[in-house]
Amino acid sequence: MPGPLDVSVEREGLVPASAKDVWHALTDPELRVEVFTMVSQAVTEEGIPGEVGHVMQFTEKDAGTEPVVVRLTTIATDPYHRLVQERVGPDGVFTSTTFLEESEDGTLVRRVFHVYQANPSIAERAMRRAIATFFSLGGTVRLKADIGDLIRHFS
């Protein structure tokens, strides 16, 4: 099975808040703990929240699992419109891109998780379909939870 491993998962929802408020909920460690139910602790390792180079470390816990440590590094921004972060955790390395589009009803939040490996190992090649399915299911659950948390927090 030649070729890269390339999988994306996308979800969106309308959050009853300004794009600026949603942006801060995504980038500020203290707000991340307050807003997202899976996050129990978050700190800035380096940089300034919302700016390229910001590294946030947080503890995340899905229902029925042990807590895990995750690092988010901001790699691109267009403040209040687009936030691109690299996520490194026990479930792998992937990119999380969030698009914010403000309207009179709130902010449409579109989140995309993307994993890309240019040269997957032989094992990854053999398990390509299982990896893609696992990533899609896990990404779908996490994105739905994230958007649900944002909606509940700002409602």
Side-chain angles (χ1 to χ4, degrees):
M1 297 178 143
L5 180 63
D6 190 1
V7 183
S8 292
V9 179
E10 179 178 333
R11 289 290 176 262
E12 66 180 38
L14 185 64
V15 177
S18 70
K20 184 176 182 179
D21 288 341
V22 173
W23 179 269
H24 289 298
L26 294 169
T27 60
D28 182 280
E30 289 180 23
L31 285 175
R32 195 150 188 111
V33 172
E34 183 180 322
V35 173
F36 296 99
T37 56
M38 291 192 302
V39 178
S40 61
Q41 178 183 6
V43 296
T44 291
E45 281 186 17
E46 62 183 76
I48 298 170
E51 293 187 9
V52 172
H54 178 245
V55 180
M56 182 187 329
Q57 178 176 294
F58 59 91
T59 304
E60 184 176 81
K61 184 178 184 333
D62 292 330
T65 65
E66 292 297 316
V68 297
V69 175
V70 175
R71 291 183 80 220
L72 277 182
T73 302
T74 301
I75 56 177
T77 66
D78 179 5
Y80 316 125
H81 299 284
R82 184 175 67 97
L83 175 66
V84 184
Q85 298 169 304
E86 180 184 66
R87 184 182 194 280
V88 178
D91 52 355
V93 177
F94 57 91
T95 302
S96 169
T97 304
T98 304
F99 300 93
L100 305 175
E101 186 178 325
E102 194 167 333
S103 70
E104 60 186 48
D105 297 325
T107 300
L108 179 65
V109 177
R110 184 167 56 98
R111 301 201 71 206
V112 181
F113 285 172
H114 182 235
V115 63
Y116 179 83
Q117 295 176 0
N119 298 303
S121 69
I122 291 174
E124 289 167 331
R125 288 179 196 277
M127 302 251 333
R128 183 183 309 268
R129 178 168 280 151
I131 290 169
T133 300
F134 175 78
F135 179 79
S136 294
L137 292 174
T140 298
V141 168
R142 178 171 282 118
L143 287 176
K144 286 174 84 172
D146 283 359
I147 290 172
D149 285 345
L150 284 166
I151 291 169
R152 278 187 294 283
H153 179 76
F154 289 108
S155 291

